[in-house]
């Protein structure tokens, strides 16, 4: 089936095709990864940016989102997904997350998808995220223009109508035939879904993937906190640590590829100046 958002991958080895047949559902194929990363350099980087340029609104979330974007450009297999027992490679790198319209327990939540172009850097991505979130929070009409409105309407239908309608949506999703209006800001159609639990002052968790949509990755970001570690020389020191809970679809790559990808992500976070390069810039671990 030809899709608008991705191209079919033809050079899949027999083992991975069999794995897809054995585990045709994404929810049966997710792998849980926990990674603690030293954020000391990134903390200093963000603080320096705020101190030297008060107009910059770069946050930890922006930086982490950019690190993931660079990872997906450097490790292209990560930007694949399985749909209808077929492997596809996504056309774009898309970072997805949920934002509250207001900082209130009862406030509505809105899905946001941000396309990261190959020439984007941390400043570009920070601007894209800030502008889109601000537009949603400052305009009552914004929610009526995107996928969130469709989801809200369908979700309020009586069950006798909603259930068969969702069955149709799931079939169209499987065949890659859902209209653009339904997937434009649907976080389940993204390279990775991010959830910043650090904002809630809690640690990372593992959150399952879904069989709907195309997202092969979901990552939660825990609270940045102080922790004592032992360095390579055997000396104890206190550093800033963040826990990441990452779920991924094991069918898109092998374990070695995932392990190398996590190490590359860690390297980017620990060398935050790399975030100022283009997203597509190749990163070599030194």
């Amino acid at each position: 089936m030809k899709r608008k958002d991705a191209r079919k991958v033809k050079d899949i080895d027999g083992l991975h095709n069999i794995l897809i047949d054995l585990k045709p559902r994404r929810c049966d194929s997710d792998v849980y990864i926990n990674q603690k990363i030293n954020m000391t350099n990134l903390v200093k980087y963000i603080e320096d940016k705020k101190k030297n340029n008060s107009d910059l609104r770069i946050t930890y979330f922006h930086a982490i989102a950019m690190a993931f974007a660079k990872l997906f450009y450097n490790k292209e297999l990560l930007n694949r997904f399985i749909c209808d027992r077929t492997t596809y490679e996504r056309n774009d790198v898309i970072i997805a997350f949920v934002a509250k319209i207001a900082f209130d327990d009862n406030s509505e939540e809105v899905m946001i998808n941000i396309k990261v172009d190959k020439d984007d850097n941390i400043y570009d991505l920070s601007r894209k995220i800030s502008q889109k979130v601000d537009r949603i929070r400052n305009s009552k009409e914004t929610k009526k223009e995107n996928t969130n409105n469709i989801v809200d309407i369908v979700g309020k239908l009586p069950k006798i109508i909603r259930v068969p309608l969702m069955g149709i949506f799931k079939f169209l999703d499987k065949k890659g035939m859902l209209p653009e209006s339904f997937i434009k800001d649907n976080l389940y159609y993204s390279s990775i879904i991010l959830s910043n639990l650090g904002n809630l002052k809690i640690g990372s968790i593992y959150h399952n993937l879904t069989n709907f949509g195309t997202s092969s990755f979901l990552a939660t970001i825990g609270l940045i906190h102080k922790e004592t570690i032992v360095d390579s020389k055997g000396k104890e020191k206190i550093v800033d640590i963040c826990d990441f809970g990452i779920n991924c679809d094991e069918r898109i790559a092998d374990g070695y590829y995932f392990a190398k990808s996590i190490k590359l992500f860690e390297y980017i976070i620990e060398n935050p100046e790399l975030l100022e390069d283009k997203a597509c810039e190749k990163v070599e671990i030194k």
Side-chain angles (χ1 to χ4, degrees):
M1 175 65 67
K2 190 173 182 180
R3 300 179 61 104
K4 295 179 181 179
D5 57 349
R7 67 171 184 84
K8 182 179 178 180
V9 181
K10 298 179 180 179
D11 56 339
I12 302 296
D13 62 77
L15 178 61
H16 276 86
N17 276 331
I18 290 175
L19 184 60
I20 293 170
D21 291 334
L22 291 174
K23 297 182 177 182
R25 290 160 46 92
R26 194 176 296 122
C27 279
D28 297 331
S29 310
D30 54 352
V31 173
Y32 305 90
I33 303 171
N34 175 261
Q35 187 73 11
K36 285 187 177 183
I37 297 180
N38 187 339
M39 307 288 282
T40 304
N41 292 343
L42 184 62
V43 169
K44 185 178 185 304
Y45 176 83
I46 297 294
E47 289 177 350
D48 287 345
K49 292 299 177 185
K50 290 179 179 178
K51 187 185 302 182
N52 297 328
N53 192 334
S54 57
D55 293 331
L56 285 175
R57 297 174 58 187
I58 296 175
T59 66
Y60 294 116
F61 180 77
H62 297 168
I64 291 168
M66 187 64 204
F68 272 115
K70 288 185 71 67
L71 176 66
F72 277 81
Y73 271 106
N74 273 265
K75 293 290 188 179
E76 295 178 352
L77 296 189
L78 301 184
N79 210 23
R80 292 181 173 184
F81 62 87
I82 314 295
C83 197
D84 201 18
R85 300 198 183 200
T86 304
T87 301
Y88 293 93
E89 187 168 296
R90 206 181 308 275
N91 294 333
D92 302 306
V93 172
I94 299 173
I95 305 295
F97 58 96
V98 172
K100 274 186 168 290
I101 294 178
F103 297 105
D104 185 286
D105 286 349
N106 298 318
S107 170
E108 293 183 78
E109 294 182 327
V110 177
M111 297 183 290
I112 295 178
N113 285 12
I114 302 290
K115 177 186 172 185
V116 185
D117 295 312
K118 63 183 181 67
D119 292 334
D120 284 348
N121 60 20
I122 179 64
Y123 304 114
D124 300 313
L125 182 57
S126 178
R127 173 179 49 80
K128 285 183 177 182
I129 293 175
S130 297
Q131 287 179 351
K132 193 154 189 178
V133 172
D134 287 347
R135 189 165 67 248
I136 287 172
R137 287 176 175 165
N138 296 331
S139 174
K140 294 180 181 179
E141 298 302 314
T142 302
K143 189 171 183 291
K144 297 180 181 180
E145 298 172 2
N146 56 32
T147 306
N148 294 275
N149 189 45
I150 299 174
V151 172
D152 193 46
I153 292 172
V154 173
K156 291 180 179 179
L157 292 172
K159 185 167 66 172
I160 193 171
I161 300 174
R162 188 182 70 246
V163 172
L165 186 59
M166 280 305 301
I168 295 172
F169 283 150
K170 287 165 73 175
F171 174 80
L172 294 176
D173 163 65
K174 184 178 180 180
K175 299 300 181 181
M177 296 169 61
L178 280 174
E180 176 68 18
S181 59
F182 196 90
I183 67 176
K184 180 182 176 183
D185 269 312
N186 191 322
L187 55 82
Y188 296 116
Y189 288 85
S190 63
S191 304
I192 186 169
I193 302 169
L194 295 180
S195 179
N196 188 11
L197 299 182
N199 271 350
L200 304 177
K201 309 300 181 186
I202 61 175
S204 63
I205 63 169
Y206 300 115
H207 192 294
N208 64 289
L209 300 172
T210 67
N211 293 319
F212 185 86
T214 63
S215 294
S216 297
F217 282 85
L218 192 155
T220 64
I221 307 160
L223 176 68
I224 298 175
H225 60 281
K226 299 291 184 182
E227 197 167 301
T228 301
I229 66 167
V230 178
D231 64 20
S232 58
K233 297 180 180 178
K235 294 184 179 180
E236 289 188 350
K237 61 179 181 180
I238 299 175
V239 298
D240 293 295
I241 292 290
C242 183
D243 289 306
F244 289 83
I246 304 171
N247 282 33
C248 59
D249 186 341
E250 68 169 336
R251 301 172 300 172
I252 64 173
D254 58 47
Y256 179 79
Y257 194 89
F258 286 135
K260 296 289 284 186
S261 299
I262 291 296
K263 296 306 292 183
L264 183 60
F265 175 72
E266 184 175 24
Y267 181 79
I268 295 170
I269 291 290
E270 293 179 350
N271 295 272
E273 66 280 357
L274 294 172
L275 301 175
E276 299 183 14
D277 296 334
K278 295 178 180 180
C280 65
E281 190 95 10
K282 289 299 177 184
V283 178
E284 298 290 341
I285 298 178
K286 299 177 181 178

